[in-house]
Amino acid sequence: MKATQLLIFAVITLCSIGTVHAEDEAWYAGVKAGQMKVDQPGFKNAIGVGGILGYKLNNTLGIEGGYTTTGEDADVRIGTTDSKWDIDVVAVHLAYRTEGNFFVKGKAGLLYQEVSVNTNNANEPGSGGEMSIGIGAGWRPFKDIALELEYTVIESDVSFISFGINLGI
């Protein structure tokens, strides 16, 4: 339930920023998909999907709230047992993008993640809050559309390499 609380906090934060800067309304939303890479023995990488809601503070700086999950549970081998694992992540980042049609992106923030490993029909969840950073590059083919390739560190041994499209950016 902490993930839900963090998501509610992120939405309230983004809405309050909108009321402070109503004259500069600059909301954007996006979707992304890619590979969840795990650096742990026995864990196979998973496909990740997610979405973001952001607010531009100025031409280069914005706040992004997002949710990412594994699209399909991935395989993990623990000892002689074959199991499945998945992850759900709720995050809030301060994001910087350079100006221009081609841009570089950097982001830093906080996230809450829940990892589940299903072993012998028993679910073993793990969760926690983490600092998170990411880098990326993108292209704005039109004024309100941006395509982004991004690398985000979820925790020390889990990262997300994604391709996304943002509208209204």
Side-chain angles (χ1 to χ4, degrees), residues 107-161:
K107 66 181 186 177
L110 298 171
L111 62 77
Y112 178 81
Q113 45 115 2
E114 291 183 353
V115 178
S116 295
V117 177
N118 186 356
T119 57
N120 296 330
N121 297 325
N123 198 12
E124 297 180 19
S127 62
E130 304 277 339
M131 294 288 295
S132 173
I133 58 172
I135 58 171
W139 174 48
R140 292 182 189 96
F142 303 102
K143 180 179 181 269
D144 292 333
I145 296 175
L147 305 174
E148 293 184 348
L149 182 61
E150 190 176 286
Y151 174 84
T152 304
V153 176
I154 294 175
E155 64 173 57
S156 60
D157 44 359
V158 179
S159 57
F160 184 40
I161 300 169

Side-chain angles (χ1 to χ4, degrees), residues 22-23 28 37 40 100 106 152 164 168:
E23 70 278 359
Y28 58 95
K37 296 185 65 66
Q40 283 290 324
T152 304

Side-chain angles (χ1 to χ4, degrees), residues 53-108:
L53 177 63
Y55 187 83
K56 285 174 44 174
L57 300 171
N58 59 38
N59 288 341
T60 58
L61 204 56
I63 295 178
E64 297 180 352
Y67 174 75
T68 306
T69 186
T70 47
E72 183 176 320
D73 294 354
D75 295 328
V76 59
R77 185 165 186 87
I78 301 172
T80 59
T81 304
D82 289 325
S83 303
K84 298 282 187 182
W85 75 272
D86 65 65
I87 187 169
D88 295 306
V89 181
V90 177
V92 177
H93 288 103
L94 184 63
Y96 172 82
R97 288 176 183 83
T98 59
E99 294 187 64
N101 288 344
F102 293 95
F103 60 90
V104 176
K105 176 182 180 180
K107 66 181 186 177

